[in-house]
Amino acid sequence: MSPWESLAVFAAGIGAGTINTIVGSGTLITFPVLLATGLPPVTANVSNTLGLVPGSISGAIGYRKELQGQRGRIMRLGAVALVGGLAGAILLLTLPSDSFDTIVPILIGLALVLVVLQPRLAAALRRRQEAAGTGPADPDGGPALLTGMLLASAYGGYFGAAQGVLYVGLMGLLLREDLQRINAVKNVLAALVNGIAAVFFLFVAEFDWTAVLLIAIGSTLGGQIGAKVGRRLSPTVLRGIIVVVGLLAIGQLLLR
């Protein structure tokens, strides 16, 4: 890489680490920049995945206050995320991308609908359960959440753009939890998915280690920035940012 290309990748890493911690979709910043430097798509994808791991960890640490009392939930959802992330990483190297390119914008669009309508949908779901005499919702989302998170994690291991939007949409609907605490769990799960995919890629794929290092340093800084900014946002503003980022993700995926 030239010095200017290196600077661009580093700056993209900061931006990705920041937006990943607040919402997700940081890959939509780093991946195009890596392609612009001349890296092949698969090399760019796996290098980006490994480089963003420190940023996800940094964001999770920044949200450590909101993670208190959620250890059991993280253990359950984390196990599902690891399985899904590994499956997605395997799919990246074994399947053509056409099918994913078609369905991913649809998935992100559905997740955005869930994010926007989450307060009303969750309230309606609670009223229906109470009317049916089934009691309160499962505090951990039940099988529906585990299945949804498995599929979202598989997508995350495959590409990962707007993975956080999918996570927030699912957890926001199926968990009785504050949006900031959901966001904190999202950061941990993203770190696990990126981590397991990166470990798999280490054995079977080719990396650009300069890109990995630049994104790793940049995303680590961005993770701390994102944690400071994100936790100060109201639920309404946070939902608004998620929707904007998600729409941009759909647009970029449809045009690439």
Side-chain angles (χ1 to χ4, degrees), residues 213-231:
L213 180 61
L214 291 170
I215 292 176
I217 297 174
S219 66
T220 300
L221 295 174
Q224 292 300 303
I225 296 171
K228 291 181 180 179
V229 173
R231 62 155 42 99

Side-chain angles (χ1 to χ4, degrees), residues 106-185:
I106 298 174
L107 291 176
I108 297 173
L110 290 175
L112 291 181
V113 172
L114 291 179
V115 170
V116 172
L117 299 181
Q118 181 265 327
R120 294 183 179 181
L121 291 175
L125 183 61
R126 286 195 294 270
R127 288 195 298 269
R128 183 174 180 178
Q129 290 171 332
E130 291 169 359
T134 56
D138 189 314
D140 290 309
L145 181 59
L146 292 178
T147 302
M149 297 299 280
L150 177 66
L151 296 175
S153 299
Y155 164 65
Y158 183 89
F159 183 53
Q163 173 189 358
V165 176
L166 296 174
Y167 280 161
V168 172
L170 288 167
M171 288 189 288
L173 176 63
L174 297 172
L175 294 178
R176 290 189 180 184
E177 194 60 87
D178 176 77
L179 192 58
Q180 291 289 0
R181 283 170 61 81
I182 287 174
N183 203 37
V185 175

Side-chain angles (χ1 to χ4, degrees), residues 9-101:
V9 172
F10 176 68
I14 294 176
T18 301
I19 197 68
N20 272 344
T21 302
I22 298 174
V23 182
S25 301
T27 291
L28 296 176
I29 299 174
T30 47
F31 187 68
V33 173
L34 292 177
L35 292 180
T37 66
L39 290 181
V42 174
T43 302
N45 196 4
V46 298
S47 300
N48 178 68
T49 297
L50 181 57
L52 289 178
V53 172
S56 298
I57 296 173
S58 177
I61 293 173
Y63 264 92
R64 59 190 178 276
K65 179 180 178 181
E66 287 77 9
L67 290 172
Q68 293 178 3
Q70 300 199 78
R71 177 175 295 181
R73 175 180 294 158
I74 291 171
M75 294 293 290
R76 282 183 285 274
L77 295 180
V80 170
L82 287 173
V83 173
L86 179 59
I90 294 172
L91 289 175
L92 175 64
L93 300 181
T94 57
L95 294 180
S97 63
D98 293 347
S99 56
F100 274 80
D101 291 342

